[in-house]
Amino acid sequence: MRIFDPHIHMTSRTTDDYRAMHAAGVRAVVEPAFWLGQPRTSPDSFADYFDGLLGWEPFRAAQFGIRHHCTIGLNPKEANDPRCAPVIDLLPRYLAKDGVVAVGEIGFDNGTPAEERAFAAQLALAVEHGLPALVHTPHRDKAGGTARSLAVVADSGIDPSYVVLDHLNEVTVDEVAASGCWMGFSIYPDTKMTPDRMVRILQRHGTERMLVNSAADWGHSDPLLTRATGEAMLAAGFGADDVDRVLWRNPVAFYGQSGRLDLTDAPGATAPAAHFEGNSILRGDS
């Protein structure tokens, strides 16, 4: 089983997670820029974070045989902080970089006017740069927030095939399916989807335009739930080709629209991670 996790926050995870993910079949990931839990106080802190997503994290992932890509954007929660508003002006220089395969996470958190302005501005940047967009649907009032997200997407003029609405569930999937956008589902303990619920959605809606991710981050989460979903699909009667489509070919198709995916074998896929002067992970030249 080969797995491409299209939404996971590896900055929050350990090297043990990378080892376990590789053993489970994960060979590629996309890490969306998101809220780190502690409010950031200036655009400079975002610049440092974006640089880490483009530099250190792909290097770290490669040591364990996993290709790492990212999405860049001002997340909806911090779009409400006026100190962070200038981050929008930083984005064009990052959206031009090879490792960036989409604009995101963008969308709504509380549904404020500030969030909507940032959302619309970043969809315009996605159109300008020819990139897909990863849209976060809110945890509160998910149905209303999803409907409002679809309206903003429609107003932007972006091709729906370039948009994934993530963190969907049984309540929101029908509307997104009808929109032409991609459908993203986070298999995440307690607060989002489970493998069995995901299987039931796939039985009803099929496998087209479906993305399954772990959204693993600093919360109670599990980066191996993509694998668990594949196993649940097989147990429910789906074939190996169905599993491969959902867990590999679909994310490749969606993010491949950026023209920037690198799915060649990462160094750690064929040799163990090297040590450097006694350190537990190979260090960069800097």
Side-chain angles (χ1 to χ4, degrees):
M1 190 183 297
R2 56 179 181 170
I3 299 170
F4 185 149
D5 193 329
H7 185 148
I8 187 169
H9 301 288
M10 293 308 300
T11 297
S12 305
R13 311 302 302 192
T14 68
T15 53
D16 287 346
D17 290 320
Y18 271 128
R19 290 185 187 277
M21 289 162 62
H22 187 271
V26 178
R27 294 296 181 270
V29 301
V30 168
E31 177 162 0
F34 83 136
W35 180 54
L36 294 179
Q38 175 67 28
R40 285 170 281 209
T41 59
S42 77
D44 290 342
S45 57
F46 279 85
D48 291 337
Y49 171 58
F50 294 159
D51 288 342
L53 292 180
L54 284 160
W56 169 245
E57 206 56 46
F59 178 80
R60 187 167 76 111
Q63 305 309 303
F64 300 93
I66 295 174
R67 284 295 180 193
H68 180 287
H69 312 82
C70 69
T71 78
I72 294 291
L74 174 61
N75 69 84
K77 184 174 181 65
E78 290 178 290
N80 292 301
D81 190 335
R83 297 174 298 181
C84 301
V87 171
I88 299 289
D89 298 328
L90 291 178
L91 296 181
R93 85 177 191 189
Y94 286 100
L95 297 180
K97 294 184 180 292
D98 287 343
V100 179
V101 294
V103 178
E105 296 179 57
I106 59 178
F108 288 115
D109 181 47
N110 283 327
T112 66
E115 291 171 18
E116 185 160 344
R117 288 192 297 271
F119 187 5
Q122 292 180 96
L123 285 173
L125 285 172
V127 172
E128 179 183 344
H129 288 265
L131 290 173
L134 169 61
V135 176
H136 164 99
T137 58
H139 303 301
R140 297 174 295 278
D141 186 20
K142 186 168 288 291
T146 299
R148 190 172 169 192
S149 297
L150 287 171
V152 175
V153 168
D155 288 344
S156 75
I158 192 170
D159 186 332
S161 69
Y162 269 63
V163 179
V164 58
L165 272 73
D166 214 342
H167 312 315
L168 299 182
N169 58 24
E170 296 88 345
V171 174
T172 55
V173 60
D174 288 348
E175 189 174 11
V176 179
S179 74
C181 295
W182 287 69
M183 295 156 279
F185 298 86
S186 299
I187 316 303
Y188 193 105
D190 302 332
T191 60
K192 298 185 178 73
M193 295 290 291
T194 66
D196 288 341
R197 287 170 61 197
M198 188 67 235
V199 166
R200 288 194 290 272
I201 284 179
L202 292 169
Q203 288 171 329
R204 178 183 173 193
H205 287 277
T207 59
E208 291 186 15
R209 291 187 284 127
M210 292 286 187
L211 299 180
V212 170
N213 63 72
S214 70
D217 56 12
W218 34 251
H220 177 208
S221 50
D222 184 347
L224 303 185
L225 285 180
T226 49
R227 173 81 190 201
T229 301
E231 292 171 347
M233 289 178 66
L234 293 173
F238 283 96
D241 186 70
D242 297 317
V243 173
D244 189 70
R245 180 172 190 171
V246 171
L247 295 185
W248 185 265
R249 301 198 311 271
N250 279 356
V252 169
F254 179 72
Y255 288 115
Q257 296 176 111
S258 69
R260 297 173 178 173
L261 283 183
D262 178 5
L263 298 176
T264 59
D265 285 344
T270 55
H275 290 182
F276 178 76
E277 296 183 354
N279 288 294
S280 62
I281 188 169
L282 180 66
R283 305 292 172 140
D285 292 337
S286 58

